[in-house]
Amino acid sequence: MSRPACALWVSALLFLSGDGLASPFQPGTEPPAPEPPESNLIEDLEVPPQFDGAMPRGELVPHHYPAQRAAKVVEHYLNTRYGSPYRRVHLHQVHKAGLEDLGQAGNKYHLEISLKEVVSNTDLGPCSAEVLFSGEQDQRAPQVQCSCEGLKKLDTKAEEEALFQKLNSSDSLLSGSNIPDSYGHVAPEMKPMWKLGAAAASFVMLNESNEGTLYNMAQVANFTQLETENDQLRFKYHILLHEMITQEILHWKLLATWSPAGGVSVSQTELQPKCHHCETASAIEIPEATPSPTSAS
Amino acid sequence: MVTPGVLVLLLTLLRAHSFTARVLTELRNYDYTKYHPLPEIMTWMQQMETENPEILSTTVYGRSYENRDIQFLKIGLNPHEDKKAIWMDCGIHAREWISPAFCQYFVKEILRTYKTDTKVEHMLKNLDLYVTPVLNLDGYTYTWKDNTTRLWRKNRSPGTGCNCTGTDLNRNFDAFWGSTGSSSDCCEEIYHGTEAKSEAETRAVVDFVGPRSKDFLCFLSIHSYSQMILVPYAHPNIKAPNYDELMEVANDAAKAIKAVHGMDYIVGSSVDLLYPAGGTSIGWARFMGIPYSFTFELRDKGEHGFVLPEDQIQPTCEEAYEGVRAILTYVHDKTFYSAAASLTATLWTTLLASWLTNATLL
């Protein structure tokens, strides 16, 4: 082969390989122009779960929101059943999730999750649960079934009895506010009241949950102990819930009763209207409704 | 006998001296494990600039609705034209106090380590870091007002033709603005404003970063809570062209985070993990062509939520720092080592070609 032809081939080769060595990173490339937005309605948030083509029909990605929201409902449910001043269950992880479309009956989620008890910092291990969100016609709270071996090993009898005796026999009625405070701090003597408030809040959060919500308790605004009745301690609570999808802070007032034997129950739950114009808590004090012996909602 | 006037003067001077001494001591011992009100953060920024002029400068790049100076700290070595840059903003949502705490910690760590950590030093020679410790200054100030204001989210601009205050700055950017996951009701927490960029704070970011977008490699926005690393977009109908790469980078960052204290941060787009949201800052950044845009949602997962205890500031910042560092390292190495390789290849090609050409002419 002649020299010029050789040079030409080598140059071509080098040029091509040199281009291959160049950085694939292209700063400033524009993404394709977006499609015009479909709708401005906030209802768009309730997008049906996306089925990844690679996953078997009905199976959900565990860390995506549909499974996560359903798992959060399990957390609320367990706290209504097992929550106490010394017991609070938190969702740790979703391992597996599946969705069963029951048509008019609603959507049923099958979940494999792991939970943690945060007061004693105990790993509760794996649990399986089912969450049924009823169909649109039905405005019921989600229904939960859960089997969790780890819950049985929790033993908080001693602390609960001690607290019960202390609050029952005290001359003064306990009260508190802003728990945790702005710095996230909770005074040691207020920690059980914080956890009790969270357990009470779980009743509301469970009741209010659907596939388009994710609730956490943000803060106990205040609580006041009332006179003991029927061997149950009673407390008025004003709690603040944080709803993740709307990012709203919701004010709820409720009456919580507790005893170590009876667990937590809740009645007279009342959503407070959002106050746009007030700057201080005192401005939003709504006159207390006369307590009536209604059962927990 | 000392007159009352002289006495007053003496006392004032003494108090001023001890006050100044106390302030200086406090600043020297700035506590990164506590939450700081805005005036302390502003003083801290000035202190950072005074103590580290060779590497750090502050710039006012906008004014909040209530007329406060929106500032960033620019950190870098070897300043030169068209230097590539990283953007990080904290405190876009007022109640997310851990976010400004992280920006302060991050700056402190960079300054503490750049002289001894050759990687950090090298990155600062190639990249400028633009860190805004508090973007939503008015909102942040409001959350410090009293117990009832702690959970405020938005800025503090008044509603137009509407009786409520505040726009969600992270729904106010010009990327799918008003399309989904935001509200046109000015009383709601995710109110997107009267139009895209209606808010002074949004415009400050857009007006600074926009014209320089080709120099920005990376745009990070720090939030809480949920323990997530989010990639653009938050709109259901569109995926970023480098989505797979962004997911890979975010997953590596999540691994780096977990290695510190064992905390799980999940990775994905907002659409998949949380909810769709139009008008977000990272959506805008990605749309402008800034290739590596991420939102961090720091601790926790709802146990304390926005009121994260101060004893968690240090561990949260430590893990988040490793996550951010993983991203910065990737972005830096990809840009500068790949560029170097490409340059070398081009040089060799040119050399060889010219040798061959000369050889044939002989």
Side-chain angles (χ1 to χ4, degrees):
Chain A
M1 199 187 269
S2 69
R3 271 243 176 115
C6 190
L8 215 58
W9 276 110
V10 174
S11 308
L13 258 165
L14 282 167
F15 177 82
L16 287 167
S17 58
D19 198 55
L21 287 167
S23 167
F25 165 70
Q26 300 283 337
T29 42
E30 290 302 313
E35 314 243 320
E38 296 281 355
S39 162
N40 286 334
L41 297 173
I42 206 162
E43 281 85 290
D44 277 2
L45 292 173
E46 282 155 78
V47 177
Q50 298 301 313
F51 294 117
D52 185 336
M55 303 192 82
R57 188 177 159 74
E59 201 162 334
L60 300 172
V61 177
H63 58 275
H64 286 190
Y65 75 79
Q68 292 284 324
R69 290 178 194 175
K72 194 56 127 165
V73 170
V74 179
E75 179 187 293
H76 299 322
Y77 167 77
L78 289 174
N79 283 309
T80 63
R81 296 285 311 276
Y82 298 94
S84 85
Y86 294 96
R87 247 189 269 143
R88 177 136 190 92
V89 170
H90 266 273
L91 174 69
H92 179 59
Q93 245 182 33
V94 180
H95 300 289
K96 237 182 146 201
L99 172 60
E100 204 186 326
D101 185 346
L102 302 176
Q104 288 221 333
N107 282 335
K108 189 184 251 192
Y109 289 77
H110 302 266
L111 302 164
E112 306 281 330
I113 60 179
S114 54
L115 301 158
K116 214 175 181 184
E117 196 291 299
V118 297
V119 177
S120 61
N121 206 21
T122 309
D123 198 336
L124 295 177
C127 306
S128 54
E130 277 178 10
V131 181
L132 173 63
F133 291 105
S134 49
E136 267 178 38
Q137 293 85 349
D138 224 335
Q139 290 298 310
R140 276 186 304 167
Q143 292 171 290
V144 183
Q145 281 183 313
C146 183
S147 131
C148 203
E149 286 303 304
L151 281 167
K152 297 174 186 163
K153 64 181 177 190
L154 294 174
D155 182 10
T156 49
K157 263 210 198 86
E159 310 98 300
E160 290 180 20
E161 280 296 335
L163 179 71
F164 183 81
Q165 290 310 320
K166 181 169 155 216
L167 292 175
N168 204 17
S169 54
S170 166
D171 289 330
S172 59
L173 295 169
L174 189 63
S175 65
S177 60
N178 295 295
I179 309 164
D181 68 12
S182 291
Y183 306 90
H185 182 249
V186 180
E189 65 274 14
M190 286 294 153
K191 277 204 169 110
M193 307 317 298
W194 175 40
K195 294 305 176 192
L196 179 60
S202 296
F203 284 82
V204 177
M205 294 193 283
L206 177 63
N207 212 38
E208 297 295 307
S209 287
N210 56 56
E211 284 162 289
T213 61
L214 188 79
Y215 280 101
N216 286 292
M217 184 177 83
Q219 215 179 22
V220 171
N222 60 64
F223 78 91
T224 318
Q225 186 182 0
L226 305 173
E227 294 294 334
T228 304
E229 250 179 42
N230 303 327
D231 264 335
Q232 305 258 326
L233 294 174
R234 299 191 314 146
F235 304 87
K236 265 189 329 189
Y237 267 93
H238 179 158
I239 52 165
L240 306 180
L241 301 183
H242 171 236
E243 200 291 298
M244 186 70 78
I245 284 72
T246 57
Q247 291 292 342
E248 294 291 330
I249 301 293
L250 301 131
H251 293 245
W252 282 85
K253 288 196 174 179
L254 53 86
L255 182 65
T257 55
W258 173 68
S259 68
V264 180
S265 58
V266 157
S267 60
Q268 296 174 38
T269 60
E270 197 186 339
L271 173 64
Q272 306 301 295
K274 187 170 175 177
C275 179
H276 309 303
H277 315 294
C278 31
E279 296 292 286
T280 60
S282 55
I284 62 167
E285 274 309 295
I286 283 123
E288 285 298 300
T290 328
S292 53
T294 50
S295 54
S297 45
Chain B
M1 191 171 106
V2 180
T3 62
V6 177
L7 196 62
V8 167
L9 184 65
L10 271 169
L11 279 169
T12 314
L13 283 169
L14 270 167
R15 276 198 71 181
H17 171 77
S18 69
F19 174 76
T20 314
R22 200 179 72 236
V23 166
L24 282 176
T25 317
E26 277 169 11
L27 290 176
R28 216 168 282 131
N29 304 323
Y30 195 79
D31 194 342
Y32 294 92
T33 68
K34 292 261 180 292
Y35 295 118
H36 293 272
L38 190 64
E40 286 177 19
I41 299 178
M42 305 292 256
T43 315
W44 167 83
M45 283 198 270
Q46 298 311 313
Q47 175 89 356
M48 288 292 110
E49 187 175 33
T50 311
E51 288 181 352
N52 305 279
E54 73 285 2
I55 187 177
L56 192 152
S57 62
T58 64
T59 302
V60 175
Y61 66 99
R63 275 241 148 84
S64 71
Y65 173 75
E66 289 174 354
N67 225 21
R68 295 184 172 89
D69 286 338
I70 307 174
Q71 294 179 64
F72 59 64
L73 298 151
K74 179 180 169 186
I75 305 168
L77 298 164
N78 291 3
H80 58 265
E81 278 286 305
D82 299 330
K83 195 174 172 195
K84 293 298 178 191
I86 310 283
W87 177 269
M88 185 159 82
D89 60 67
C90 290
I92 200 172
H93 288 138
R95 57 194 180 196
E96 298 165 12
W97 282 14
I98 186 62
S99 168
F102 173 67
C103 265
Q104 293 164 71
Y105 175 94
F106 177 81
V107 169
K108 181 259 295 181
E109 270 303 288
I110 293 286
L111 294 175
R112 188 181 69 82
T113 57
Y114 83 94
K115 283 180 183 157
T116 50
D117 187 329
T118 47
K119 184 67 183 178
V120 174
E121 191 198 4
H122 188 63
M123 290 203 285
L124 291 175
K125 284 186 176 151
N126 290 323
L127 297 167
D128 281 336
L129 309 175
Y130 290 80
V131 180
T132 301
V134 186
L135 180 56
N136 182 2
L137 299 153
D138 303 343
Y140 187 70
T141 304
Y142 188 66
T143 59
W144 280 81
K145 185 165 173 254
D146 59 53
N147 289 323
T148 69
T149 62
R150 175 62 178 83
L151 297 175
W152 187 260
R153 169 182 169 92
K154 303 184 283 183
N155 74 349
R156 293 294 296 167
S157 68
T160 315
C162 176
N163 245 340
C164 299
T165 309
T167 294
D168 184 344
L169 294 174
N170 206 31
R171 301 290 185 278
N172 189 239
F173 283 78
D174 200 357
F176 316 111
W177 178 84
S179 63
T180 181
S182 59
S183 174
S184 52
D185 181 344
C186 88
C187 295
E188 293 190 350
E189 295 286 3
I190 53 175
Y191 173 59
H192 50 48
T194 50
E195 58 182 359
K197 299 185 294 181
S198 58
E199 304 308 300
E201 297 87 352
T202 312
R203 284 198 303 274
V205 176
V206 168
D207 291 348
F208 183 82
V209 177
R212 300 170 178 80
S213 61
K214 64 167 176 48
D215 293 331
F216 277 94
L217 297 173
C218 186
F219 188 101
L220 302 173
S221 199
I222 312 295
H223 294 248
S224 76
Y225 60 90
S226 282
Q227 290 176 212
M228 292 174 174
I229 303 176
L230 301 172
V231 307
Y233 292 98
H235 191 278
N237 293 345
I238 186 165
K239 253 190 185 160
N242 61 342
Y243 173 81
D244 291 339
E245 188 191 12
L246 291 174
M247 285 294 288
E248 215 183 297
V249 176
N251 272 309
D252 285 342
K255 280 197 200 103
I257 289 175
K258 190 167 170 126
V260 183
H261 296 297
M263 288 308 213
D264 289 308
Y265 278 59
I266 54 181
V267 168
S269 70
S270 185
V271 173
D272 289 333
L273 299 191
L274 277 174
Y275 40 63
T280 64
S281 64
I282 66 155
W284 171 81
R286 188 59 197 90
F287 203 66
M288 291 297 290
I290 299 173
Y292 303 99
S293 302
F294 301 94
T295 297
F296 276 72
E297 295 280 356
L298 302 181
R299 287 195 197 181
D300 57 20
K301 296 208 286 192
E303 195 190 335
H304 298 87
F306 300 115
V307 288
L308 192 70
E310 286 181 312
D311 63 14
Q312 285 199 45
I313 295 179
Q314 175 81 10
T316 307
C317 289
E318 283 169 352
E319 68 202 16
Y321 181 82
E322 291 307 318
V324 170
R325 192 190 160 126
I327 292 174
L328 296 187
T329 308
Y330 176 88
V331 170
H332 169 271
D333 291 354
K334 177 136 197 223
T335 310
F336 296 98
Y337 293 161
S338 297
S342 135
L343 185 64
T344 314
T346 314
L347 273 170
W348 277 111
T349 313
T350 317
L351 257 162
L352 214 46
S354 71
W355 173 79
L356 282 167
T357 318
N358 284 333
T360 56
L361 289 173
L362 285 169

